[in-house]
Amino acid sequence: RPLCIGRRDNTYVLASESSALDAVDAEFIRDVKPGEVVMINEDGIHSDTSMSQPKVSRCIFEYIYFARPDSCLDSVSVYNSRIMAGRILAQTYPVEADLVVGVPDSGNAAAMGYSFESGIQYATAFYKNSYVGRTFIKPKQSMRESSVRIKLNVLKDVVKGKRIVMIDDSIVRGTTCER
């Protein structure tokens, strides 16, 4: 998982996302390298990079699903990476359609990128119930299915009779996609 260092006044802050630093009004200093050991004491911040690896392999789910769009990981904007993913998808898989829609929330930026690149109109096709939370982590399939039924509703008047490009970047178990 990513980790970054920030500072507010004379206090250091460590968080998995830069947006957490913004929330406490801390200044971003830098990302922690994979394998790096960070030590903070009264003399300041010190690091041991003897276990760091030159090759960084970040889990793609950080960029497309887990991280907030207002975060930066490894100096890369999560929001911009999602827009670029949609643009690349449109270049790689062009289709004829009437609308591009995203499955909320993480799929929306990729859908906008697809729309920008393809010239196909972007639209909102789903109402998302904000109080359900992430359904893929529910312990039982029956609980996941029940939660998905109240999580998303299609805006039928937006999509009826249209050819749709639907961008869903959050397919973990397939429960939401099937619905």
Side-chain angles (χ1 to χ4, degrees):
R1 297 289 319 262
L3 190 65
C4 63
I5 303 169
R7 184 171 54 217
R8 180 178 170 189
D9 301 322
N10 294 325
T11 303
Y12 287 100
V13 180
L14 288 96
S16 62
E17 293 187 46
S18 62
S19 59
L21 302 177
D22 297 336
V24 296
D25 206 24
E27 174 190 1
F28 174 83
I29 296 175
R30 66 176 179 87
D31 290 308
V32 175
K33 296 177 184 145
E36 177 182 5
V37 176
V38 175
M39 299 155 285
I40 301 172
N41 60 27
E42 58 277 349
D43 296 325
I45 188 165
H46 312 280
S47 76
D48 177 350
T49 58
S50 62
M51 298 297 287
S52 292
Q53 300 296 315
K55 183 179 177 191
V56 175
S57 297
R58 190 68 69 202
C59 174
I60 195 66
F61 267 90
E62 294 294 343
Y63 289 99
I64 65 171
Y65 189 69
F66 289 135
R68 285 177 29 162
D70 57 336
S71 284
C72 286
L73 304 174
D74 302 320
S75 301
V76 175
S77 160
V78 171
Y79 178 79
N80 288 338
S81 72
R82 290 176 184 173
I83 294 285
M84 185 55 67
R87 285 184 176 277
I88 292 168
L89 187 62
Q91 293 167 3
T92 308
Y93 298 99
V95 296
E96 290 186 27
D98 302 309
L99 294 175
V100 178
V101 302
V103 176
D105 286 312
S106 56
N108 290 338
M112 283 190 277
Y114 194 102
S115 173
F116 295 156
E117 189 66 29
S118 67
I120 301 169
Q121 179 182 350
Y122 172 82
T124 300
F126 297 98
Y127 166 75
K128 181 181 177 188
N129 182 332
S130 302
Y131 303 103
V132 174
R134 292 190 165 155
T135 55
F136 79 94
I137 60 175
K138 303 278 185 188
K140 294 183 180 178
Q141 181 62 20
S142 60
M143 295 171 80
R144 292 188 288 272
E145 290 172 4
S146 175
S147 293
V148 165
R149 279 193 292 280
I150 58 174
K151 179 180 181 178
L152 290 176
N153 252 5
V154 175
L155 301 173
K156 294 174 186 169
D157 58 326
V158 173
V159 299
K160 187 174 182 175
K162 305 269 185 359
R163 296 172 301 164
I164 306 293
V165 174
M166 183 175 73
I167 308 294
D168 185 357
D169 64 356
S170 58
I171 301 170
V172 175
R173 297 179 188 270
T175 308
T176 302
C177 187
E178 179 183 33
R179 174 106 173 117

